[in-house]
Structures are given as structure tokens and as C-alpha cells.
């Protein structure tokens, strides 16, 4: 009965109508609290991870929303600006904000204020935040990575860094958990690339690493036009296999990590679900089923949260 009750509360929170996204501004100019701003930002722009955060212990949930919101703020800079100079200026704002926050003087900006609370409460390592900013700056040129190794490194610097911070919010300091987060971050980065390829292709952009495109003789035009030839499927197969390898390693390490770490790894659920779906679609990244929202995801997340399976 307790699980059912918790499940109902989970779905109720997930179904609430989102607030409109507000830009970064002084809190005196908005009725939203800093906490609400972070929650709404993640809900609107990172919904799957929003569901994951709802299942974290209450003592760490607000802090993790702040970490996720910080990541969203950084990630959307690349899409929001066409001028790299402006992008660097925005990233510099976050560098300065981070520096001031660690000195006990955060700017009057919602995410920064919430991060200040999280940093004080959980003693979060500054290095992970800095690494996130640096990785986003290196990616401002909107070019594909030269190699799959570079893509994996980007996943380590971005997705894994967020997972390390979440583990810190949960009070977990464990080598096995860190190794699991490293591999899971790389798997998620590759899966995110696969999932976003049709959308980016429709906008005339291709981010698949150059080495794997050359290996299979696939051109950017093939991706932009949504061609479903065997070479394009072979590219998807290689990337899915890479993600699956990291995911398998991550899952084996999760079983050795402290139980408290398990909910930090909830993103494994959507990652695994996508890899199953693309396999059923014969590695056709443009297959319509891959664009459908996974309506079972909340249930799958609940199952994983309670059983770890």
C-alpha cells in the first residue's frame, strides 16, 4: 500500500501543468521562488530527468533540481545563440556566478541561489561544475566530434559530471558508484546523440562523429535527408553497440555500489528503453516509433526505484 500511495503522489506531481519558462532575472521581478524556477526549468526542458528527480529522497531532491537546472542553463546556450562570442559571454556569467557562489556571495539569480544552498548543504565539489562549463564551451562551434572517443569524453565531462554531483547530493562517496556513473554518462551521451539525430538532421545539422560516418561511407546529406539505407543503419548500430557496452558495464558496477546510490542511476531506465526500441526498429534512427514518448516510463522508473531492476 505504501508503494501505491507513493506512486500516486509521483504521478500527481508529474502531471501538474508546467509554468511558463522564465528567463534568468532578479527574483524580485517574479512570483516564482528560486526552487520553483529550477523545478519548472527541468520539467519543461529535461522532462525525463525531472521524473527521475521526483523519486529521489526528499532530503536531496531540491539540491538535485538545482544541479539539473544548472546543467539545463548551460546546455541551452548552444541552441540559443548563433554567435560563439555571445555564447562564451553567457558561459563566463556562469563561471563568475560559480566563483561568487563558492565565496558565499551568489548573484540574485534563481539557479545560482539554489546552487548556493545545495553547495553548502552537501559540500559539492566545485570541479564538477567547472568541468561542465568547460565542456559546453568546447562544444560551442556546433561541429560534430571527430571520433567516438571524443564523444565519450564529452559524455564523461557533461553527463557523468552531473551524476557525480547527484551522488554527492545523496551523500555517496564510493569508487564503484563513481565508475558506474562514468560509464552511464557515456552511454547516455551516445543515446542522446542517436535520439536527437532526426531532429538535428531536419534542421540541417549533423553531430554524428566523423570517424564513424567515414567508416560506413555515410554523408551528412544522408542524415539530413533522413535516408534509411543500410550504411546509415550501420552507423546507428555501431553507436548503439557502444552505448550498450557502457550501459552493461555501468549496470554491473551498480550492483556493487552502495544501495543509497541506486536512485542516482535512474536515468539508466530511459537509456535502456531506447536501446531496446532502436534494436526492434532494425537500427533505423528515423523510425516513427523512436519519436513516440514512452508513456510507461513513470512506471518503469517507479519499479527501478523500488526494486533496482
Amino acid at each position: 500500500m505504501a508503494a501505491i500511495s507513493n506512486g500516486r503522489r509521483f504521478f500527481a506531481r508529474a502531471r501538474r501543468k508546467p509554468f511558463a519558462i522564465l528567463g534568468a532575472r532578479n527574483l524580485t521581478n517574479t512570483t516564482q521562488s528560486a526552487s520553483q524556477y529550477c523545478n519548472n526549468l527541468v520539467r519543461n526542458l529535461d522532462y525525463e530527468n525531472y521524473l527521475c528527480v521526483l523519486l529521489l529522497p526528499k532530503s536531496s531532491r531540491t539540491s538535485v533540481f538545482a544541479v539539473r537546472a544548472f546543467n539545463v542553463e548551460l546546455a541551452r546556450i548552444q541552441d540559443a545563440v548563433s554567435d560563439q562570442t555571445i555564447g562564451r559571454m553567457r558561459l563566463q556569467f556562469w563561471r563568475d556566478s560559480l566563483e561568487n557562489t563558492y565565496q558565499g556571495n551568489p548573484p540574485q539569480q534563481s539557479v545560482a541561489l539554489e546552487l548556493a544552498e545545495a553547495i553548502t548543504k552537501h559540500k559539492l565539489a566545485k570541479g564538477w561544475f567547472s568541468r561542465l562549463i568547460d565542456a559546453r564551451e568546447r562544444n560551442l562551434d556546433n561541429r560534430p566530434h571527430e571520433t567516438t572517443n571524443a564523444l565519450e569524453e564529452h559524455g564523461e565531462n557533461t553527463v557523468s559530471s552531473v551524476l557525480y554531483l547527484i551522488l554527492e547530493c545523496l551523500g555517496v562517496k564510493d569508487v564503484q558508484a563513481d565508475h558506474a556513473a562514468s560509464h552511464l554518462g557515456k552511454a547516455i551521451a551516445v543515446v542522446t546523440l542517436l535520439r536527437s539525430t532526426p531532429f538535428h538532421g531536419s534542421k540541417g545539422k549533423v553531430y554524428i562523429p566523423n570517424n564513424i560516418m567515414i567508416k560506413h561511407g555515410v554523408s551528412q546529406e544522408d542524415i539530413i535527408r533522413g535516408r534509411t539505407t543500410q550504411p546509415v543503419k550501420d552507423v546507428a548500430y555501431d553507436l548503439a553497440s557502444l552505448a550498450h557496452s557502457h550501459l552493461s558495464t555501468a549496470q554491473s558496477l551498480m550492483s556493487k555500489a552502495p544501495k543509497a546510490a541506486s536512485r542516482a542511476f535512474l536515468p539508466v531506465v530511459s537509456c535502456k528503453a531506447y536501446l531496446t526500441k532502436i534494436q526492434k526498429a532494425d537500427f533505423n534512427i528515423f523510425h516513427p516509433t523512436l519519436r513516440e514518448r514512452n508513456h510507461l516510463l513513470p512506471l518503469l522508473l517507479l519499479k527501478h526505484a523500488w526494486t533496482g531492476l
Side-chain angles (χ1 to χ4, degrees):
M1 291 299 291
I4 293 174
S5 176
N6 286 330
R8 285 174 178 163
R9 288 198 295 271
F10 173 63
F11 285 117
R13 287 194 295 268
R15 291 178 61 189
R16 288 173 189 158
K17 185 177 180 181
F19 289 83
I21 298 176
L22 300 180
R25 62 173 97 175
N26 191 298
L27 288 178
T28 59
N29 295 329
T30 174
T31 57
Q32 287 191 101
S33 69
S35 178
Q36 286 174 325
Y37 177 86
C38 291
N39 291 10
N40 296 334
L41 185 64
V42 177
R43 176 167 50 188
N44 280 281
L45 297 181
D46 194 7
Y47 185 70
E48 291 184 358
N49 283 316
Y50 169 78
L51 295 178
C52 293
V53 179
L54 291 180
L55 288 168
L56 294 178
K58 189 175 181 179
S59 59
S60 59
R61 197 179 301 148
T62 300
S63 297
V64 175
F65 266 127
V67 170
R68 286 287 181 193
F70 177 79
N71 184 54
V72 170
E73 290 280 18
L74 297 183
R76 65 178 180 165
I77 290 174
Q78 182 179 0
D79 295 326
V81 300
S82 55
D83 188 324
Q84 290 187 45
T85 301
I86 296 175
R88 289 192 180 92
M89 289 172 62
R90 293 193 181 186
L91 288 170
Q92 187 59 48
F93 163 80
W94 285 110
R95 275 200 186 87
D96 295 340
S97 296
L98 187 63
E99 189 66 35
N100 291 332
T101 297
Y102 271 89
Q103 292 177 4
N105 186 33
Q108 294 300 301
Q109 196 275 348
S110 301
V111 176
L113 290 171
E114 283 297 286
L115 271 185
E117 295 270 348
I119 289 166
T120 300
K121 182 177 181 180
H122 302 287
K123 310 301 180 188
L124 302 181
K126 180 182 176 184
W128 302 131
F129 292 111
S130 297
R131 193 162 78 153
L132 267 169
I133 296 173
D134 291 343
R136 294 300 180 186
E137 183 169 29
R138 286 193 296 270
N139 216 37
L140 277 177
D141 59 7
N142 269 321
R143 295 180 181 178
H145 296 289
E146 285 297 323
T147 65
T148 49
N149 286 341
L151 171 61
E152 291 172 291
E153 183 180 356
H154 179 72
E156 166 68 26
N157 291 334
T158 54
V159 187
S160 296
S161 292
V162 172
L163 293 175
Y164 298 144
L165 287 164
I166 293 174
L167 286 170
E168 289 188 351
C169 289
L170 293 172
V172 175
K173 295 182 179 180
D174 179 78
V175 173
Q176 299 291 350
D178 287 346
H179 286 171
S182 176
H183 285 283
L184 180 56
K186 292 170 186 174
I188 292 172
V190 177
V191 165
T192 300
L193 172 67
L194 283 168
R195 293 178 69 174
S196 63
T197 291
F199 172 77
H200 287 139
S202 70
K203 304 297 182 182
K205 299 177 181 178
V206 180
Y207 296 115
I208 296 173
N210 292 328
N211 70 326
I212 202 167
M213 296 275 282
I214 294 170
K215 174 183 175 182
H216 295 289
V218 174
S219 67
Q220 290 199 356
E221 191 71 13
D222 292 329
I223 304 300
I224 292 170
R225 293 189 176 276
R227 291 173 180 148
T228 57
T229 60
Q230 189 57 48
V232 174
K233 291 182 178 181
D234 290 340
V235 166
Y237 173 80
D238 280 4
L239 287 171
S241 297
L242 177 62
H244 184 268
S245 176
H246 283 297
L247 189 64
S248 297
T249 303
Q251 288 181 299
S252 68
L253 291 165
M254 287 175 203
S255 64
K256 304 171 186 176
K259 187 176 181 180
S262 62
R263 296 203 180 190
F265 302 132
L266 283 169
V268 72
V269 175
S270 58
C271 186
K272 187 176 180 180
Y274 178 83
L275 290 175
T276 299
K277 287 175 70 174
I278 196 172
Q279 182 179 19
K280 289 180 179 179
D282 192 28
F283 301 97
N284 173 12
I285 54 176
F286 302 105
H287 198 281
T289 58
L290 299 179
R291 295 194 295 270
E292 296 171 356
R293 172 171 281 190
N294 185 356
H295 296 291
L296 292 177
L297 182 60
L299 280 174
L300 294 172
L301 288 170
L302 274 171
K303 178 185 176 183
H304 186 87
W306 287 103
T307 68
L309 303 174

